[in-house]
Amino acid sequence: MSAAEKIALDPRALPLGGRTRVTLALASLVGLMMLCWPLLVRVAPGSESRIDPPFLFLVLLPVVIAVVLAEMSEGGMDSRVLAVLGVLAAINALMRVLSAGTAGVELVFFLLILSGRVFGAGFGFVLGVTSLFASALMTAGVGPWLPFQMLCAAWVGMGAGLLPRRVLGREVRGRGEIAVLAVYGVVAAYLFGALMNLSSWPFLLGVAVPGHEGNLSFDPAAGVLENLRTFGVYTLITSTGSFDTGRAITTAVAVVVLGPAVLATLRRASRRAIVQQVQTAP
């Protein structure tokens, strides 16, 4: 290669075009609506009408995810990127099976976050979907909760890919990058737990927690703020202080201890998997 040439490396293993970005944004909005619908509806107090859970959403959500994946691969996913995706999804699914989520100890987010950081938001989204789907098949964990788990994990991977790569003109690398990823892992772990609780909370009846007076069930006659407060208490007591904290600690510790070595390995793999675009300097 002559000195007049330079190599431009695209860090995104799965570049997102304009139409794919719109599709991804719409799918995320639909998924968020499917999670937040209990907070957006209200029945007048004393009314005999009732609110039936939108079970149709449970059918539509896998379709929405499939449309997004099809849109992402429309331009043709490179075979090397597809191979890396398959390997990482298999490893992630196996780690989820081994960690099993006991006391919130889950290793599934660790590799998902690092992969999204290295290969980009689109790759992180697809890895989140495929990892959760594969692990559910391995553990016979297929149920109505699976589409929500896949979507929330996809958001975690996509968010890691959207984290800034440069701050104040300087590339974020080394200890600073590990610190950013560890903090993001903690935030993502708590948000994942809260969103998954929100997906099942409206279907729970007569929720009562020892030491807490009152019912913590979804009330269709209550206002948005009241239901949001009730849900906040419910998720804080049942999940935030236990499973979610265990997941957050596990993810942060794994990122800090194993992150530098795994990031270096993934970046070496990305240089081989991603097609290098050679540009000639003017």
Side-chain angles (χ1 to χ4, degrees):
M1 181 182 301
S2 68
E5 294 180 337
K6 65 179 182 180
I7 294 177
L9 283 176
D10 188 343
R12 301 165 300 175
L14 193 57
L16 302 179
R19 196 173 70 179
T20 303
R21 290 173 185 268
V22 173
T23 304
L24 190 58
L26 291 177
S28 295
L29 180 61
V30 171
L32 196 60
M33 293 294 293
M34 294 176 183
L35 287 166
C36 297
W37 70 266
L39 303 175
L40 306 176
V41 297
R42 185 177 184 183
V43 172
S47 173
E48 295 183 356
S49 60
R50 65 176 189 180
I51 295 178
D52 293 321
F55 292 111
L56 182 60
F57 282 177
L58 299 180
V59 179
L60 289 179
L61 189 52
V63 176
V64 171
I65 294 175
V67 169
V68 173
L69 296 181
E71 185 66 29
M72 284 183 169
S73 59
E74 184 188 31
M77 191 180 297
D78 188 273
S79 59
R80 289 169 293 186
V81 175
L82 188 60
V84 172
L85 175 64
V87 171
L88 291 177
I91 295 175
N92 223 12
L94 184 61
M95 287 200 300
R96 190 181 185 215
V97 172
L98 295 178
S99 57
T102 304
V105 178
E106 284 186 302
L107 293 174
V108 66
F109 293 115
F110 153 63
L111 187 58
L112 178 59
I113 290 173
L114 298 183
S115 300
R117 172 67 176 177
V118 172
F119 292 99
F123 187 92
F125 185 94
V126 178
L127 182 61
V129 170
T130 53
S131 296
L132 269 290
F133 182 71
S135 64
L137 294 180
M138 294 172 67
T139 59
V142 178
W145 55 85
L146 179 58
F148 294 106
Q149 288 181 335
M150 293 166 57
L151 185 62
C152 292
W155 285 339
V156 172
M158 183 177 68
L162 294 176
L163 291 174
R165 298 180 183 275
R166 301 183 70 87
V167 176
L168 300 178
R170 299 181 60 181
E171 191 172 7
V172 181
R173 286 293 180 93
R175 294 180 179 177
E177 183 180 35
I178 293 298
V180 169
L181 294 176
V183 171
Y184 174 76
V186 171
V187 174
Y190 281 113
L191 286 178
F192 180 87
L195 290 175
M196 289 309 304
N197 287 340
L198 187 57
S199 69
S200 60
W201 175 60
F203 305 101
L204 302 178
L205 300 176
V207 179
V209 178
H212 179 270
E213 296 183 358
N215 191 353
L216 295 178
S217 300
F218 166 63
D219 183 2
V224 175
L225 294 180
E226 185 175 351
N227 268 324
L228 189 59
R229 184 193 64 81
T230 303
F231 171 72
V233 174
Y234 165 75
T235 193
L236 184 65
I237 294 177
T238 61
S239 174
T240 304
S242 54
F243 290 98
D244 295 345
T245 298
R247 184 187 302 113
I249 293 175
T250 303
T251 302
V253 170
V255 168
V256 171
V257 175
L258 303 175
V262 174
L263 279 176
T265 302
L266 291 176
R267 285 191 167 119
R268 281 197 297 272
S270 73
R271 285 193 287 271
R272 297 184 178 184
I274 300 175
V275 176
Q276 299 178 357
Q277 301 173 350
V278 180
Q279 298 178 345
T280 303

